[in-house]
Amino acid sequence: MMSVKEIMDPISSEMSEFEVRFRENMKSEVPMLDKVTHYVIRRKGKQMRPMFVFLVSKMVSNGEISERTYRGASVIELIHTATLVHDDVV
């Protein structure tokens, strides 16, 4: 069975760039929201959903990753994170 690291190897540079972009996209001018997102981002998991987005994108586009791919990966991770926060808060 493959480990998460082995799965991520072909997209490690994209995942590093994703981290930077995701943090940047999560910034807000609302102090309370920034505080909440700080804890959410700090508690990151394996980020399997963005990994799948990048792997599939590379597979269907001759290895090219576009700006739309980064946005799609961010949206999927944000939705997943929001559901976790919602479940924990409620």
Side-chain angles (χ1 to χ4, degrees):
M1 178 175 279
M2 291 180 79
S3 69
V4 173
K5 185 188 176 326
E6 290 173 306
I7 294 169
M8 193 170 77
D9 278 345
I11 54 163
S12 60
S13 63
E14 287 85 357
M15 288 301 293
S16 294
E17 178 67 19
F18 170 76
E19 283 286 325
V20 172
R21 291 178 182 222
F22 189 68
R23 286 178 195 265
E24 190 63 33
N25 288 333
M26 293 295 288
K27 288 185 180 174
S28 167
E29 294 181 17
V30 179
M32 179 58 101
L33 187 56
D34 266 349
K35 191 171 190 172
V36 170
T37 57
H38 166 76
Y39 290 109
V40 168
I41 290 172
R42 199 177 88 197
R43 197 188 97 172
K44 78 172 189 153
K46 297 179 292 282
Q47 296 183 327
M48 295 298 288
R49 289 152 196 85
M51 284 190 337
F52 290 141
V53 170
F54 290 118
L55 288 168
V56 170
S57 179
K58 277 195 163 196
M59 197 170 61
V60 300
S61 65
N62 296 326
E64 297 294 319
I65 299 294
S66 69
E67 180 63 34
R68 289 178 66 189
T69 307
Y70 284 103
R71 280 195 312 256
S74 291
V75 166
I76 287 175
E77 187 66 11
L78 183 57
I79 291 170
H80 170 66
T81 302
T83 60
L84 292 177
V85 170
H86 177 268
D87 289 348
D88 289 347
V89 171
V90 172

